[in-house]
Amino acid sequence: MIEPTKKQLSRLKAHRDATAGTTISQLFEQDETRFDTFSARCGDILFDYSKTAIDEEARALLFDLAEAAKLEDKRAALFAGEPINVTEGRAVQHMALRRSGEEPVMIDGEDVMPGIREVRRRMVEFANGVRNGSIAGTGGAFTDIVNIGIGGSDLGPAMVTLALAPYHDGPRTHFVSNVDGADIASVLARVTAATTLFIVASKTFTTQETMTNAQTARAWFVEQVGEEAVRQHFAALSTALDKTDAFGIDEERTFGFWDWVGGRYSVWSAIGLSVMLAVGPERFDEFLAGAEAVDQHFRDTDIASNVPILMALVGIWHRNVCGYDTHAVLPYDQHLSRFAAYLQQLDMESNGKRIDLGGNEVDHQTGPVVWGEPGTNGQHAFYQLIHQGTSVIPADFLIAARANQKTGDHHEKLAANAFAQTEALMVGKSKEQARNELLAKGTSKEDADRLAPHKVFPGNRPTCTFLYPKLTSFILGQLIALYEHKVFVQGAIWDINSFDQWGVELGKELAGELLPVVKGEANAEGRNGSTRGLIDAFHAMRAG
Ligand code: G6Q
């Protein structure tokens, strides 16, 4: 954090110390208009942050904090295509992938839009061909698509395809990511080689998991159908066109993207091909349009009603001012069941950093642990801790006004639960209330005294709610882009690089070193006692 930001943070902490005695419920008692003044809209999405302890003064201080961190300059540098990913010397321009219109987007003095449009045109042509059967396999029209990728080359398309299941009218899609052979084996057991299209999705085309799975799929396919059909049944999504060729994938079936698209920001690029195949190019366009609308909102809206900035500042308040360690994302939307997993990568890989842009260790907290599961399921599992545990866990609730399907009053019940949870977390239940309720039910005075403490809900636990009309491809594009820009804003305030991921390297290096030891081709000499012991035991168990 740069000095002026630190000063602002101290002011915020002083304000928090002075006002911590005021509960969120009391803020509503003091201000009848609080819901209106502490909520904002981005298009059709309503973002309610009134159920947090942020008051007028705190919000003003948070705005000052953003200004002190030079957020506007940083946002301008992002959109201008400057190489803000400084440790990799790259621009960050996933926004260009969802850009419509004719305006150029310059990176290194070159307009990248013609290249983007050309790849998208080829994707549309290919997707239409596959969907109408004019591009087919040796056994006829493709019935199944297997996307082989991991991390950013898997989570985005897998999450989005699931989220848009109500619009799925193309071939069945499957996602294989884990190097655990169980993953590919279970998918191969479900598909027919002659009508399956394999998409190898890898920016670098060197990732161990993806290349291992791709080779296994290729060998299985060759055994079933033959080597000569590989070109007809395999496509590649990558920036490494030389490597896709070496794998035996046709240039015509290779869809490229660029190094200024980070893996976890790549669902908008060729990496989204499986989504396009599943829901069709029109829906995919709507998905891009939703994100583009948020880009415009983020770039042009005043800070006071700028939803991604507000989301980020609420997060900063919880993380840096209140000191909360984790952040729960709780979609009341079964189709968003992979949304938290997706956001985990987006947020934790982007902002899980401890070195600032100047190369120094930060002296403040950065990204929180992000986690979550859909409601109402979570209510019957981990919500106990959110309500009564010792940690305060700020949570985002997401709920549509309308469901994608007609199933009696399921949706009203779902919504009632979402609203009830945020209310319960805020208002809580006092010991006296708990005791009186027990007495009213006829419990003895002695038992009421004994049980009441267990039935206390401290309340005053903060939540934000996103309410949207229906989970369409447009709304989904908006939701993802909102979180993307939130992550950017927080990284800007923390003065860290949100766009590299060096923290994933060491484990990869060591796995490379250990593979020959695990295979028994090298010995474990020189390694620490635990690793040596584990590998020896591994060998012994296998021999047994
Ligand atoms: C994302 C990360 C990482 C990446 C995977 C797959 O931002 O860089 O999750 O997407 O490691 O990489 P490849 O696409 O190169 O196989």
Side-chain angles (χ1 to χ4, degrees):
M1 240 177 220
I2 56 174
E3 273 315 313
T5 327
K6 281 186 194 165
K7 268 195 198 132
Q8 269 311 118
L9 188 58
S10 304
R11 286 194 190 112
L12 272 157
K13 283 182 179 162
H15 176 71
R16 169 72 179 163
D17 289 345
T19 56
T22 308
T23 65
I24 305 170
S25 294
Q26 284 166 343
L27 291 176
F28 277 96
E29 283 159 23
Q30 289 164 11
D31 176 9
E32 276 187 6
T33 65
R34 182 168 169 83
F35 173 72
D36 298 319
T37 47
F38 286 80
S39 62
R41 278 177 194 266
C42 176
D44 284 339
I45 299 180
L46 169 69
F47 172 60
D48 169 30
Y49 62 105
S50 61
K51 288 195 186 92
T52 67
I54 297 172
D55 60 11
E56 296 275 359
E57 173 74 11
R59 184 169 57 184
L61 289 168
L62 285 165
F63 291 162
D64 292 346
L65 177 92
E67 199 184 320
K70 301 192 186 315
L71 176 61
E72 282 189 16
D73 294 350
K74 291 188 173 182
R75 180 179 56 184
L78 166 76
F79 280 100
E82 287 177 25
I84 60 166
N85 176 355
V86 288
T87 60
E88 295 181 304
R90 291 174 185 170
V92 174
Q93 255 305 5
H94 45 277
M95 295 85 67
L97 299 162
R98 51 224 193 186
R99 190 92 174 240
S100 58
E102 297 302 314
E103 241 181 275
V105 173
M106 308 301 286
I107 296 179
D108 288 336
E110 192 198 335
D111 179 11
V112 296
M113 289 312 297
I116 292 173
R117 283 189 209 106
E118 175 57 11
V119 173
R120 207 183 303 156
R121 186 194 62 72
R122 291 184 49 237
M123 284 169 69
V124 169
E125 198 175 272
F126 183 68
N128 281 335
V130 169
R131 284 163 57 82
N132 67 27
S134 61
I135 297 176
T138 46
F142 288 119
T143 55
D144 294 84
I145 310 286
V146 179
N147 186 87
I148 301 175
I150 196 164
S153 300
D154 166 74
L155 277 165
M159 182 277 282
V160 170
T161 306
L162 183 60
L164 299 182
Y167 303 97
H168 195 143
D169 56 2
R172 288 182 288 270
T173 47
H174 313 266
F175 293 87
V176 174
S177 51
N178 202 327
V179 78
D180 181 348
D183 204 4
I184 184 93
S186 78
V187 170
L188 293 183
R190 275 182 277 144
V191 299
T192 305
T195 56
T196 297
L197 173 70
F198 291 93
I199 299 179
V200 186
S202 177
K203 183 172 165 180
T204 54
F205 231 70
T206 56
T207 305
Q208 185 197 51
E209 292 90 333
T210 302
M211 297 330 292
T212 304
N213 279 321
Q215 290 298 355
T216 299
R218 192 184 194 284
W220 175 85
F221 177 81
V222 167
E223 205 177 296
Q224 312 257 324
V225 184
E227 181 75 40
E228 63 292 345
V230 166
R231 288 185 182 267
Q232 198 176 337
H233 282 259
F234 279 75
L237 320 173
S238 187
T239 56
L241 304 186
D242 50 327
K243 298 195 177 75
T244 56
D245 185 51
F247 186 91
I249 298 177
D250 237 34
E251 206 181 316
E252 266 180 39
R253 299 256 164 122
T254 301
F255 302 89
F257 56 111
W258 302 270
D259 69 359
W260 40 263
V261 182
R264 54 194 173 276
Y265 299 88
S266 64
V267 66
W268 322 101
S269 72
I271 291 292
L273 183 64
S274 48
V275 178
M276 194 188 269
L277 286 161
V279 301
E282 274 175 37
R283 297 284 183 206
F284 192 76
D285 271 357
E286 287 166 19
F287 173 63
L288 298 183
E292 184 185 21
V294 171
D295 293 338
Q296 283 163 5
H297 170 93
F298 175 51
R299 204 185 43 204
D300 303 333
T301 309
D302 185 67
I303 187 167
S305 19
N306 194 308
V307 174
I309 298 183
L310 292 169
M311 288 163 69
L313 294 177
V314 171
I316 297 273
W317 168 260
H318 289 145
R319 186 78 176 114
N320 300 106
V321 183
C322 305
Y324 305 144
D325 288 327
T326 86
H327 178 78
V329 180
L330 309 169
Y332 277 64
D333 203 320
Q334 191 59 26
H335 286 126
L336 288 179
S337 54
R338 294 292 285 156
F339 194 59
Y342 176 82
L343 291 186
Q344 256 173 352
Q345 181 188 25
L346 174 64
D347 202 314
M348 293 165 76
E349 199 166 49
S350 297
N351 286 341
K353 312 276 164 73
R354 44 180 272 292
I355 298 297
D356 69 16
L357 289 173
N360 304 307
E361 196 156 334
V362 297
D363 55 5
H364 52 83
Q365 297 293 344
T366 59
V369 174
V370 175
W371 60 283
E373 278 287 320
T376 58
N377 294 13
Q379 291 175 202
H380 299 266
F382 54 81
Y383 278 35
Q384 162 65 39
L385 186 149
I386 306 185
H387 282 287
Q388 288 189 316
T390 49
S391 299
V392 174
I393 298 176
D396 286 351
F397 283 69
L398 294 94
I399 176 86
R402 276 180 292 124
N404 267 301
Q405 69 291 323
K406 286 198 184 78
T407 39
D409 64 353
H410 284 238
H411 198 72
E412 289 82 353
K413 286 177 176 157
L414 181 73
N417 272 282
F419 300 139
Q421 288 297 327
T422 65
E423 185 170 299
L425 285 163
M426 178 176 79
V427 299
K429 188 183 277 183
S430 69
K431 195 156 141 191
E432 199 190 344
Q433 274 175 299
R435 190 172 172 277
N436 288 342
E437 276 176 17
L438 285 161
L439 292 173
K441 278 187 205 150
T443 311
S444 70
K445 201 176 149 297
E446 194 190 12
D447 277 352
D449 286 339
R450 182 174 60 82
L451 290 173
H454 299 278
K455 294 181 173 260
V456 170
F457 289 72
N460 202 29
R461 304 207 159 190
T463 61
C464 291
T465 300
F466 294 82
L467 178 64
Y468 42 91
K470 191 165 112 169
L471 189 62
T472 59
S473 28
F474 188 90
I475 293 282
L476 182 66
Q478 282 187 295
L479 285 173
I480 300 173
L482 283 172
Y483 278 97
E484 281 181 354
H485 291 313
K486 167 206 161 161
V487 164
F488 168 81
V489 172
Q490 294 189 331
I493 291 172
W494 289 324
D495 202 35
I496 55 177
N497 180 5
S498 302
F499 299 102
D500 60 12
Q501 56 283 316
W502 300 108
V504 302
E505 295 301 325
L506 182 59
K508 275 195 217 170
E509 277 166 32
L510 294 189
E513 282 177 26
L514 286 176
L515 183 58
V517 183
V518 168
K519 282 186 168 176
E521 296 162 3
N523 65 44
E525 234 171 80
R527 311 222 72 102
N528 69 79
S530 167
T531 307
R532 212 172 49 230
L534 285 168
I535 294 177
D536 284 348
F538 175 83
H539 285 145
M541 280 188 201
R542 278 162 75 92

